[in-house]
Amino acid sequence: MSSPRQTAGSSALASGGVLRGRPRAAAGPLRRLPVVPAPAPDEAFASWVYRTAVTMGVAPGTAARALGLEYRTSDRVPAFFGILLTPASRQGLAQSTGLSADVLERMHLSRYDGTLLDFEALDPDDDKPLEHTLSTQWLLLNSSRACPHCLASSDVWPLWWRLAIAAVCPVHRCLLIDTCPACGIALRRGSKNMPGALLRRTHRVLDLQECGNRRPDPEKPRNPDACRQRIADIPTQEVPQALATFQQHALAIADGAAAHLAGRPVTGAEWFAAVRFIAAVARLVVHDDELRTLPDVAAQALARVRDARHACRERFTSGGVPGPGAGPATAAEAAAVLALAAPIVDAPDCSSGPPYLAAWGSRLTEDRMTGYYKLDPLRRLPRPLVMDEMMAVTVTPARRSRADHGRAGATLEFRHIPQRIGDEDYDDFIAVHLPGILAKTGRHIVSLALARLAGAQTWAHASQALGVPTSSPITYRRIAQRTVDPEAFWEAVRVLAAHMTTRGLIDYEARRTALAGLREVPGRVLLPLLRPAGQHLTWQRQRHAAAWLWEHLTGGQAKDAPTYAEGWEGVKEASVAFARGRFHAELPKEAGGALLSWGMQWLASSGIR
């Protein structure tokens, strides 16, 4: 494309009439710019704005105003610049460039929302500093990493270079660069004191092949010099092909490609939750011998992060060290995280992970048992349940019995455990070990205990694995600790697990899935059961019967049955609850047996036991 004269950009600005530090809404209508560069595939928005500035022959800040970007709290940085498009910026860009909203939005980090990033708490209308709302996200807020080899032949900076998982260039098999060796400032940060600021004046046309960061000059403090380091001249370090391949795989998942964990299909968000969890555990307990297979620079970077955490912990201070779940601060650390995560997430099944994964679980357990951590450092990190199964080691408080650490066996999986075990199983195996606890509560506790033995790492994870609603106020861990003999309790749970396996495993998860579609029992089935008791057939009783089956066939509570999920129009919730209890109390035993038999046949028709 031909470059227009600087007067073109200046006239466009004059027509825009933007006032410094005020939003675009106060300005007049924008004019269409005569020439703007076409966005390159996967280009970052800041990169495109810089190229537009070069095309116009003006400073980046001047180009941003000519493009119609919205300014709010700062007259140097557009609102949510590079993060997401505000409505005002979207409107301004449409007027000044004619580019479609889809093209513009794909140049922003919001493109990765729902996979690697989570922008649910981000409000485009809120001017709260982004450092507050995005501090835990795996992104580079005010800088970018870069591949010198890529920039040697192009002025385009890809968007993925601003992700915290950006470690390796898949094309050139080299480690990305974080900082400029000449000025010591992170690439594209601008300056140390004012990160992300767009210059509004410059004495010469920008050279996109140069660093361009502003270095303070003691002789000219108000006019710092631009760093002239050519990025293409910065030396790089080669990395193994396997790491470059996995980097490309991770980027594809971040962009919406299908993801698998231990051979199971998962969402992109779950896949990256596993990667974040792996990074957090490695920062806490990784050993040097487990880093030997990594590239030297990556191993050294992760070891420094680990040692810094340990040093601060010994001094009983945070010391400014980021939390264990924070994004990698450097490309080298990101490379270490990817190298450690690859054999875990790509394992064909839960039992095929690398040996250091179980070792990590053991070290975490030992630290918790010895009181090394006052609180679980991983308590705020969500992760897929498959990670719990792969680790197969419980991270427990020091007070919990060692009997809690075992597993019931490979045959008993989460799907084989009801939300509450049956009355007979509870009376025969467990009731004597939980004196003074209501049977309804005890049955629930035992199901959670079975899930713990099957691999759930915490009581909360056990509830999640069984699909139990999280609204229950009961503290199951404390109740279990009040057992008369904890060792005997956990041994009884193991015996019950063996009995369930011998008796024949039932897929309760499949039952819940099937019964979720049964919102009411057909009248032809229910009427013959109600008639002997003198009860009439009503649509309410048909739904209560569906809830009765939900309770007896899945082990869940009737009040949680799908038939009540959306409420009953015109009927108060308290009335529904009263009628439900009355239906359960008045249903004759013979009718209950017949109804249960029909429910089993209904499941069997779908191949479910």
Side-chain angles (χ1 to χ4, degrees), residues 33 38 57-58 100 129 156 252 285 315 326 393 405 439-440 460 544 580:
L33 295 177
V58 298
S100 68
V156 173
V285 297
R315 296 194 301 267
V393 176
H405 301 167
K440 180 179 178 181
H544 291 316
R580 177 176 62 245

Side-chain angles (χ1 to χ4, degrees), residues 80-109:
F80 298 94
F81 185 58
I83 305 297
L84 56 79
L85 269 181
T86 66
S89 291
R90 184 182 295 109
Q91 180 181 1
L93 287 165
Q95 294 178 12
S96 63
T97 68
L99 295 173
S100 68
D102 290 342
V103 171
L104 294 168
E105 287 174 354
R106 284 189 64 80
M107 292 192 287
H108 289 75
L109 287 169

Side-chain angles (χ1 to χ4, degrees), residues 212-435:
N213 283 332
R214 293 318 204 194
R215 296 185 297 183
D217 187 344
E219 298 181 0
K220 299 179 292 182
R222 298 179 62 85
N223 189 20
D225 291 333
C227 179
R228 306 297 296 273
Q229 170 69 51
R230 295 192 67 79
I231 298 178
D233 295 338
I234 301 176
T236 59
Q237 300 187 46
E238 186 178 357
V239 298
Q241 178 61 50
L243 186 55
T245 301
F246 188 72
Q247 173 77 87
Q248 199 164 19
H249 177 56
L251 294 176
I253 294 176
D255 220 8
H260 291 79
L261 272 177
R264 304 178 187 178
V266 295
T267 64
E270 291 175 322
W271 194 87
F272 280 109
V275 173
R276 282 192 291 268
F277 176 69
I278 293 166
V281 176
R283 288 166 177 153
L284 295 173
V285 297
V286 69
H287 282 185
D288 288 340
D289 58 342
E290 295 159 350
L291 297 174
R292 290 174 183 170
T293 59
L294 277 59
D296 290 343
V297 63
Q300 293 167 9
L302 186 57
R304 284 194 296 269
V305 173
R306 176 204 60 195
D307 294 342
R309 291 195 58 83
H310 288 186
C312 290
R313 186 172 56 194
E314 295 293 342
R315 296 194 301 267
F316 300 97
T317 176
S318 62
V321 176
T330 65
E333 186 187 353
V337 169
L338 293 178
L340 289 172
I344 298 176
V345 298
D346 287 345
D349 52 60
C350 291
S351 61
S352 302
Y356 54 75
L357 186 61
W360 288 355
S362 298
R363 292 171 203 157
L364 287 171
T365 301
E366 292 171 4
D367 286 347
R368 294 290 286 132
M369 293 291 290
T370 58
Y372 202 57
Y373 293 103
K374 186 175 182 181
L375 296 174
D376 182 3
L378 304 174
R379 64 190 183 281
R380 296 179 181 176
L381 271 183
R383 69 265 195 181
L385 290 170
V386 66
M387 289 302 304
D388 297 331
E389 298 179 39
M390 292 186 74
M391 294 189 75
V393 176
T394 305
V395 180
T396 55
R399 291 179 58 192
R400 193 167 302 154
S401 166
R402 293 182 181 271
D404 195 353
H405 301 167
R407 289 194 55 150
T411 56
L412 188 63
E413 302 176 12
F414 293 140
R415 59 193 176 94
H416 300 139
I417 305 171
Q419 294 179 351
R420 293 182 302 173
I421 66 168
D423 289 313
E424 292 184 1
D425 285 343
Y426 182 74
D427 292 340
D428 293 344
F429 293 92
I430 307 294
V432 67
H433 301 289
L434 295 176

Side-chain angles (χ1 to χ4, degrees), residues 488-511:
F489 167 78
W490 286 105
E491 182 60 29
V493 173
R494 288 191 183 87
V495 172
L496 173 59
H499 175 72
M500 293 169 62
T501 302
T502 303
R503 183 175 56 192
L505 296 174
I506 297 173
D507 194 337
Y508 289 98
E509 183 177 350
R511 285 188 175 186

